[in-house]
Amino acid sequence: QITVKESGPALVKPTQTLTLTCSFSGFSLSTDTVGVGWIRQPPGKALEWLALIYWNDDKRYSPSLKTRLTITKDTSKNQVVLTMTHMDPVDTGTYYCAHRDGWGPGYFDYWGQGTLVTVSS
Amino acid sequence: QSVLTQPPSVSGAPGQRVTISCAGSSSNIGIGYDVLWYQQFPGSAPRLLIYDNNNRPSGVPDRFSGSKSGTSASLAITGLQAEDEADYYCQSYDNSLSAYVFGTGTKVTVL
């Protein structure tokens, strides 16, 4: 079965760069139509999509955060890495990675448990 | 800054039917992109509830149903149960933004 799990620092300082890793099993990122996305959720607020990487290395980013985000994949390790530069306290929240399926934009059908990131000095 | 608008809360007694609306625009739902619905309990990750507007993944009770019309979509819960008390989010894709967009979220309370 498909599982995904996020890992990364729980605390980062303002202006620092955040690096999060999504480790997954049960699927391969070299299989057609497969993708892995990142979504975040500030405390008490709505979900916000951040980035997505497809099996063919096509990458998509949230337009409002595009200049700060980089998403990469390591197919051999079954991992996807998201980096976010210039972290600010407003970036505090739970960060989720999720398996993307379906045709067209598709949907996120398997989610990790999330990792809480706090931005504070 | 959510592109899709949902009511902040809806409530109903056990056994009742409740609906959650998701208002979009001509650059997302209205242009034909599918609507997804997620259920989220406090402290837990979202769970896919409805995909491709009205399809349920395996394991989702048939009391949950989705529909889409024009620039809006709806999630209906029939035979409301105490265990349905959670937050619900709609999601689609926006052509103008070239981005996946989520709704503002709706808290369902079972009275």
Side-chain angles (χ1 to χ4, degrees):
Chain A
Q1 78 278 19
I2 291 176
T3 64
V4 294
K5 186 175 183 180
E6 310 84 354
S7 59
L11 179 66
V12 297
K13 293 181 174 7
T15 76
Q16 286 187 335
T17 294
L18 172 68
T19 299
L20 295 173
T21 300
C22 177
S23 302
F24 56 85
S25 63
F27 67 94
S28 172
L29 246 185
S30 58
T31 301
D32 280 12
T33 77
V34 172
V36 171
W38 285 93
I39 301 101
R40 73 176 178 180
Q41 185 173 36
K45 296 188 178 181
L47 300 164
E48 178 185 18
W49 171 71
L50 301 177
L52 177 72
I53 189 165
Y54 289 96
W55 82 101
N56 58 2
D57 210 37
D58 186 14
K59 302 166 186 178
R60 305 297 170 91
Y61 296 101
S62 165
S64 62
L65 294 167
K66 185 175 184 176
T67 60
R68 300 172 54 202
L69 295 173
T70 303
I71 190 170
T72 60
K73 64 181 176 71
D74 186 329
T75 305
S76 64
K77 290 184 178 179
N78 282 351
Q79 289 182 335
V80 170
V81 174
L82 180 76
T83 61
M84 179 180 288
T85 61
H86 303 104
M87 292 294 286
D88 182 273
V90 299
D91 297 312
T92 292
T94 299
Y95 287 71
Y96 298 100
C97 71
H99 170 270
R100 174 222 160 269
D101 201 353
W103 296 102
Y107 47 84
F108 301 105
D109 54 353
Y110 293 93
W111 295 60
Q113 62 191 19
T115 186
L116 177 61
V117 177
T118 300
V119 184
S120 175
S121 55
Chain B
Q1 64 190 54
S2 296
V3 174
L4 305 178
T5 303
Q6 301 176 232
S9 64
V10 298
S11 61
Q16 282 190 329
R17 179 178 186 271
V18 297
T19 61
I20 302 170
S21 59
C22 174
S25 69
S26 58
S27 63
N28 41 70
I29 299 174
I31 205 173
Y33 286 111
D34 290 330
V35 177
L36 310 313
W37 289 91
Y38 300 90
Q39 177 190 57
Q40 186 180 34
F41 296 107
S44 296
R47 165 201 184 193
L48 181 66
L49 205 61
I50 298 287
Y51 68 97
D52 293 354
N53 306 312
N54 55 16
N55 292 291
R56 290 183 306 276
S58 174
V60 174
D62 60 6
R63 63 177 183 275
F64 293 94
S65 62
S67 63
K68 186 180 92 166
S69 179
T71 59
S72 298
S74 292
L75 173 72
I77 310 174
T78 56
L80 191 65
Q81 299 185 8
E83 65 203 53
D84 299 331
E85 193 162 283
D87 293 324
Y88 293 81
Y89 293 91
C90 59
Q91 182 237 305
S92 187
Y93 186 84
D94 193 279
N95 199 48
S96 297
L97 297 172
S98 295
Y100 293 84
V101 289
F102 285 92
T104 48
T106 298
K107 180 175 180 58
V108 170
T109 300
V110 181
L111 301 173

